[in-house]
Amino acid sequence: MHTIAAISTPEAPGGIAMIRISGDQAISVAEHIFVSYNHLTLSEMKGYTCAYGKIVDKEERIDDVVLTVFRAPHSYTGEDTVEITCHGGLYISRQILRLLYQFGAVPAEPGEFTKRAFLNEKMSLTQAEAVMDLIAADGEAALRQANLAMDGMLGKQMNTYAERLIDFMSALSYWMDDAEECPPELDRNTLSTKLNEIKMQLNRLALEYQNGRRIREGIKTVLLGRPNAGKSSVMNWLCGTERSIVTDIAGTTRDIVTEQVKIGEFTLLLSDTAGLRDTDHQIESIGIQQAYRELEASEFALYVIDANIGLSDEDLEFLSKCPQHTLILWNKTDLTETLPPQLPYPVVLISAIKHPPLSVLLEPMRNIFGEAVTNRPQIMNERQRCLIESAILSVQEALELVDVGEELDILYTSLESAVKSLREIEGIDVNENVIQGVFSKFCVGK
Ligand code: GDP
C-alpha cells in the first residue's frame, strides 16, 4: 500500500495545522524533510514519542514543528504514522505537504486514514462511521450517540441478535443432519416467540433511527398561521434576532427564511412562510404556494393562532394539512385570557413579543418526538437502516414459515440472510463498493 499524506486540520488559517502521513514509508518520507533540534533520528524513535525540530526544503527552513511518531500497529490506521504539527498558515502546511509528495508520499483520498483503520481491523464499519458522526455532532445527544457507536455498542448489539439467530441455525443443522428428535428450541411456539422478540427489537431500532436522524440533521420545521397571528414575532423570539419583518399590515412576510434554532437537545431547521390565507394578491399567493410546498417537505409544524381572534375555519382547514408532528402556539396571551378550544394537536400558550424562555417548548417537543437523549445505541445512517430493514424482512419471512407450519429446514435460508444483513452493518463480508461508499463521504485527512 502507498504511503499517504494529507492536511488533517481545516483548510483555513489557524493557530496550528496538522499533517498526517501513514504507511510503510511514513517515517522515511518524513526523515527527508525534518531536522530535529535535539539530535533525534526519526527511524530510531519509539512509538508515541515526539521530536521538536524544523521542516526544511533543501537547506531552507519552512517552519518549526513538533513531530509525533506512531509505530504499527499502535496508531489510528494501524500503520506506521507520523503527525507533523506546524504553525497554522495555509502556505506552510501546503509547502510541507508538497515536500512529502516530493519524497514519495501520495495524496490521501477522502477518509483514507479511517478506511485503512477499518481494513487493518482497528475499528468496525459502524465505528468508522461514528468518527464522522463525532465530528459532525452539534449537541449533547448527537455526541452521546456517536460515542456509543465509537465504543462499539451498536456493533455489540448487532452481534447479539446475529448470535441468537445463529443458535437457531445451529439447532436446525444439527436436526437436519442426524437428530431423530426435534431439539426443544425448535418447538414451533418457542421459535415463533423468540423470532418475534428479535423482530420487535429490530423494529424498535429502525424507529429510533428517525429520532437519531433528527438529532443529527435537525428537524425540518415550518412556521405557519394566518396573517397577523404572530409568525414573524415567533420567528424573532425563537431566533433571538429581529430577522423577520413585523408589521400589523396583514401579509407582510413574503419570503421564506430559514434558521437553525436549538431547543434543548432538538435543533429546528425553521422556515418562516408567508401568512397562509386565500388571496388574490399575486406576490402573496406565490408565497402561499411556497408555504404549502414547505409544509409538504416538513416533518414538524409550529402553527400560530392569535388568541385574541381565536380559532377560525381557515385555521382548521390549514391544520388539517399539517404533519403528524405539529405544535400549536396559542399566541398573544398578554392580550386575552381566552383559553384555546379543543384542538387536534398539543397547544402551548405564549406571548411571542414577551420572549418567554425557549424551554416552554421543550417538554411539549419531548412529548411529540420522544426522548432524544438515550443511552441505547441507535443506528446512524441510511446504510445501516436499509440493512436493519432487510434483516427484519428475513426474520419476518422465517416467522411466516414457522406459522404456516412449513418444514423447519427451509427456515435456514431466511435466518442466514438475516444474519448476513446484521453482520454487514458491522462491515463483515462487505464488498469494496460498500466500503468505498462509506468512506467517500469523509473529508480528506480523516
Ligand atoms: P405574522 O403576520 O403572522 O408574521 O404576524 P407578526 O409577527 O407580523 O405580528 C402581527 C402583529 O401582532 C404585530 O403588530 C406584532 O407586534 C403583534 N404581535 C405578535 N405577537 C404578539 C404578542 O404575543 N402579543 C401582542 N400583544 N402582540 C403581538
Side-chain angles (χ1 to χ4, degrees):
M1 269 218 225
H2 293 302
T3 291
I4 49 171
I7 301 170
S8 287
T9 36
E11 286 272 325
I16 54 169
M18 197 267 274
I19 296 121
R20 189 186 260 162
I21 317 152
S22 180
D24 291 347
Q25 304 302 313
I27 291 166
S28 61
V29 168
E31 223 163 15
H32 279 105
I33 62 167
F34 178 74
V35 179
S36 156
Y37 286 138
N38 33 1
H39 313 291
L40 288 172
T41 310
L42 284 194
S43 55
E44 288 167 9
M45 280 172 65
K46 292 200 171 106
Y48 301 132
T49 60
C50 298
Y52 173 52
K54 61 182 174 183
I55 298 290
V56 288
D57 182 3
K58 299 191 185 83
E59 299 289 281
E60 195 180 339
R61 175 171 67 175
I62 304 279
D63 192 15
D64 284 344
V65 301
V66 173
L67 185 150
T68 313
V69 169
F70 300 84
R71 294 281 182 179
H74 305 294
S75 71
Y76 181 72
T77 56
E79 304 170 332
D80 277 353
T81 300
V82 174
E83 290 182 356
I84 300 172
T85 312
C86 60
H87 290 100
L90 270 182
Y91 182 70
I92 297 174
S93 46
R94 285 181 186 158
Q95 282 300 93
I96 297 174
L97 194 61
R98 180 184 62 76
L99 287 170
L100 293 170
Y101 293 161
Q102 197 174 310
F103 287 102
V106 299
E109 286 170 15
E112 195 170 357
F113 293 97
T114 312
K115 179 177 173 183
R116 289 184 177 202
F118 166 69
L119 294 174
N120 291 325
E121 296 179 9
K122 298 291 289 187
M123 56 176 77
S124 70
L125 207 52
T126 50
Q127 284 172 315
E129 287 170 317
V131 172
M132 279 311 279
D133 293 321
L134 206 56
I135 294 172
D138 64 351
E140 184 198 345
L143 180 63
R144 191 178 295 182
Q145 276 309 318
N147 270 321
L148 281 172
M150 276 301 279
D151 286 344
M153 297 308 284
L154 184 60
K156 274 195 197 125
Q157 202 168 349
M158 293 305 117
N159 221 6
T160 316
Y161 298 138
E163 272 168 11
R164 279 159 68 187
L165 295 172
I166 288 170
D167 284 347
F168 294 131
M169 287 164 65
S170 313
L172 276 169
S173 356
Y174 165 73
W175 182 53
M176 287 185 307
D177 283 351
D178 44 28
E180 309 239 308
E181 259 180 49
C182 185
E185 58 267 49
L186 295 183
D187 162 73
R188 277 183 200 274
N189 283 338
T190 318
L191 201 52
S192 178
T193 316
K194 293 269 161 69
L195 286 176
N196 247 319
E197 259 170 36
I198 297 178
K199 192 183 114 186
M200 269 158 57
Q201 283 158 349
L202 292 175
N203 265 332
R204 195 186 66 191
L205 268 177
L207 276 177
E208 284 181 347
Y209 169 66
Q210 292 299 345
N211 251 352
R213 189 184 55 71
R214 285 183 191 118
I215 294 168
R216 279 185 301 283
E217 295 167 14
I219 304 172
K220 202 159 182 314
T221 305
V222 63
L223 183 57
L224 299 168
R226 295 175 60 217
N228 265 343
K231 294 178 297 302
S232 304
S233 309
V234 166
M235 189 76 173
N236 292 339
W237 162 51
L238 295 178
C239 301
T241 51
E242 292 296 313
R243 54 125 33 265
S244 297
I245 318 156
V246 181
T247 70
D248 45 14
I249 309 159
T252 40
T253 319
R254 282 180 185 140
D255 298 324
I256 293 183
V257 278
T258 307
E259 288 284 344
Q260 279 202 20
V261 180
K262 274 222 112 32
I263 298 174
E265 63 271 24
F266 300 100
T267 303
L268 302 187
L269 308 175
L270 190 64
S271 14
D272 177 17
T273 59
L276 277 182
R277 68 167 185 178
D278 292 323
T279 174
D280 293 333
H281 194 294
Q282 210 194 344
I283 303 175
E284 234 184 84
S285 66
I286 290 169
I288 290 168
Q289 280 164 21
Q290 218 172 331
Y292 276 123
R293 274 200 299 276
E294 284 289 315
L295 185 55
E296 273 166 27
S298 300
E299 56 178 330
F300 182 46
L302 286 171
Y303 193 91
V304 188
I305 300 178
D306 184 338
N308 216 18
I309 294 181
L311 183 73
S312 69
D313 288 344
E314 267 175 299
D315 286 319
L316 283 174
E317 158 99 36
F318 293 133
L319 280 168
S320 70
K321 297 190 170 73
C322 279
Q324 176 202 354
H325 302 314
T326 292
L327 185 62
I328 295 174
L329 303 178
W330 188 252
N331 189 31
K332 308 195 190 180
T333 50
D334 54 308
L335 298 180
T336 171
E337 292 190 350
T338 317
L339 290 174
Q342 188 70 24
L343 287 164
Y345 295 105
V347 187
V348 179
L349 276 58
I350 58 156
S351 167
I353 55 160
K354 303 260 183 220
H355 289 211
L358 292 190
S359 55
V360 295
L361 300 183
L362 189 55
E363 252 342 281
M365 290 202 47
R366 283 186 180 152
N367 288 338
I368 291 174
F369 291 109
E371 286 289 327
V373 185
T374 144
N375 280 326
R376 276 195 302 273
Q378 292 176 349
I379 48 173
M380 316 277 281
N381 54 43
E382 276 300 304
R383 182 190 74 85
Q384 297 169 4
R385 188 193 62 80
C386 288
L387 288 166
I388 287 282
E389 295 289 354
S390 56
I392 294 172
L393 280 180
S394 304
V395 174
Q396 176 60 34
E397 204 173 77
L399 263 169
E400 280 163 16
L401 293 173
V402 175
D403 290 345
V404 296
E406 281 289 346
E407 287 298 317
L408 286 181
D409 49 359
I410 63 168
L411 283 188
Y412 196 92
T413 322
S414 308
L415 296 178
E416 196 175 32
S417 63
V419 170
K420 187 172 178 306
S421 302
L422 293 172
R423 289 255 149 105
E424 212 175 295
I425 293 179
E426 274 302 89
I428 300 167
D429 293 335
V430 288
N431 64 35
E432 179 55 31
N433 285 345
V434 174
I435 298 173
Q436 201 51 38
V438 168
F439 291 102
S440 63
K441 298 189 193 88
F442 278 53
C443 37
V444 173
K446 188 63 237 171

